[in-house]
Amino acid sequence: MKRTITIPLSTDASAAPVAGAASGAPVAAAAEDGEADRSFVTALARGMELMRAFGPDDDYLGNAELSRRTGLPRPTVSRLSYTLARLGYLVYAPEREKYRLGQGVLVLGHRYIAGSRLRDIARPLMQSLSFATDCTVALAMPDRHEMIYLEACQPRGALVKRLTPGSRLPMATSAIGRAWLAGLPPARRQPVLATLERHYGPRWPGVRSRLERALRDYARHGFCLAHAEWERSVAGAAAPVRLQGGAEVLAINIGGAAERLPPEILEANLGPRVRALADAIQHRLWQGGDSTEERLP
């Protein structure tokens, strides 16, 4: 399958690396990007980014840590965290003098999944392929320089690494992240590449070279690969999933232990199967979720 895709990867080499906040970039930088736009509400952006500062391993964070991660002044963080707690998006623990994410965040996530019918349509197909291949099959969305699993279907056997919804993978070095990038129109891909360049700093040339190869693979085959890159024990293949006619792009992958999934198997077997899975999910979404059984290779 031949696909046309342009691969503009040149970005501003003078951009400074981003500090290591949990969400991938300081909130101040995100707010500055919108200052020239009169429709951009900086206070709202700061509040949303404050919630993104919570990483997958964070139970509670205080205002001082939130200020450090976001780059915002502590008095600003204090007002934002208080407001978000009043609205149910954060929960305050007086004995710790810290905050954790609240139920409001979970409700928004569930509404996103339910509103698109994506989970109901995708999960049966994903689980079927997972059982048939003895591999993990997962659906993910982007968050700065990472991908976040929205859904993950596991095989019956033991796995080297068992990833679940909420797990994070690096965008530039994982198959699922590369597939998401490949699914973007060039104009939307370019700002993401600039963010990745700032994140990787001096490591970017090497990362960019492997990413270019992955995008060329997508142009030729319709899927991207990663073998023992973001983690030495893991290998996988992935394809983009376009929603709303391409207005929104997610990605879906299939993977497992690198020792039993050499590049030859990824390219000849799992890559075409995950591409067919992505096509089937897109077709069902565009056709209104027809329940007619589709056969996947």
Side-chain angles (χ1 to χ4, degrees):
M1 176 178 288
K2 197 86 169 175
R3 305 203 177 197
T4 302
I5 181 171
T6 56
I7 311 172
L9 280 172
S10 59
T11 54
D12 182 5
S14 64
V18 169
S23 61
V27 173
E32 288 172 4
D33 289 342
E35 284 183 353
D37 186 349
R38 296 182 61 183
S39 297
F40 187 87
V41 183
T42 301
L44 176 60
R46 287 173 170 173
M48 299 300 291
E49 294 292 339
L50 192 72
M51 292 186 287
R52 292 166 69 121
F54 285 82
D57 299 322
D58 295 321
D59 290 328
Y60 290 89
L61 294 177
N63 285 332
E65 177 62 17
L66 288 168
S67 176
R68 186 189 70 79
R69 294 189 180 192
T70 61
L72 292 172
R74 187 165 175 176
T76 300
V77 169
S78 180
R79 293 193 299 271
L80 290 171
S81 58
Y82 172 81
T83 302
L84 290 169
R86 288 287 302 270
L87 295 172
Y89 295 107
L90 296 180
V91 174
Y92 182 65
E95 69 281 4
R96 299 171 180 256
E97 296 185 342
K98 293 182 178 182
Y99 293 88
R100 62 175 174 83
L101 291 175
Q103 293 181 352
V105 176
L106 183 64
V107 169
L108 288 178
H110 279 300
R111 286 178 180 171
Y112 167 76
I113 295 294
S116 66
R117 309 186 320 280
L118 182 60
R119 184 172 186 172
D120 290 342
I121 291 172
R123 183 170 178 82
L125 296 173
M126 293 168 60
Q127 192 64 73
S128 176
L129 185 59
S130 176
F131 286 161
T133 59
D134 199 29
C135 292
T136 296
V137 178
L139 182 72
M141 66 180 294
D143 182 31
R144 297 290 170 78
H145 61 274
E146 296 177 309
M147 300 296 292
I148 302 177
Y149 276 6
L150 298 173
E151 186 65 84
C153 295
Q154 311 288 358
R156 297 183 178 91
L159 295 172
V160 172
K161 191 175 185 68
R162 189 172 289 272
L163 299 173
T164 60
S167 297
R168 290 174 175 262
L169 280 70
M171 180 181 291
T173 56
S174 67
I176 201 166
R178 291 167 174 175
W180 180 77
L181 285 165
L184 294 178
R188 289 174 57 188
R189 189 185 309 125
Q190 200 63 31
V192 182
L193 295 173
T195 297
L196 291 172
E197 181 177 14
R198 290 193 297 268
H199 172 70
Y200 283 101
R203 294 180 292 156
W204 175 240
V207 173
R208 180 180 61 188
S209 176
R210 295 191 296 273
L211 183 53
E212 287 176 331
R213 183 172 63 248
L215 294 180
R216 288 194 295 269
D217 287 343
Y218 176 76
R220 289 192 296 268
H221 307 300
F223 54 82
C224 296
L225 307 177
H227 189 273
E229 292 192 48
W230 71 274
E231 183 161 322
R232 294 176 64 86
S233 63
V234 176
V241 178
R242 296 178 178 86
L243 309 181
Q244 304 176 45
E248 185 177 5
V249 180
L250 304 178
I252 196 161
N253 73 349
I254 183 169
E259 62 182 11
R260 78 176 185 89
L261 298 177
E264 296 79 14
I265 289 180
L266 293 176
E267 183 171 343
N269 188 327
L270 296 186
R273 295 177 85 158
V274 78
R275 182 187 63 210
L277 174 60
D279 290 344
I281 292 171
Q282 289 173 170
H283 176 74
R284 289 193 178 192
L285 285 170
W286 294 348
Q287 296 298 319
D290 188 350
S291 61
T292 302
E293 186 67 25
E294 296 183 43
R295 295 181 62 84
L296 298 176

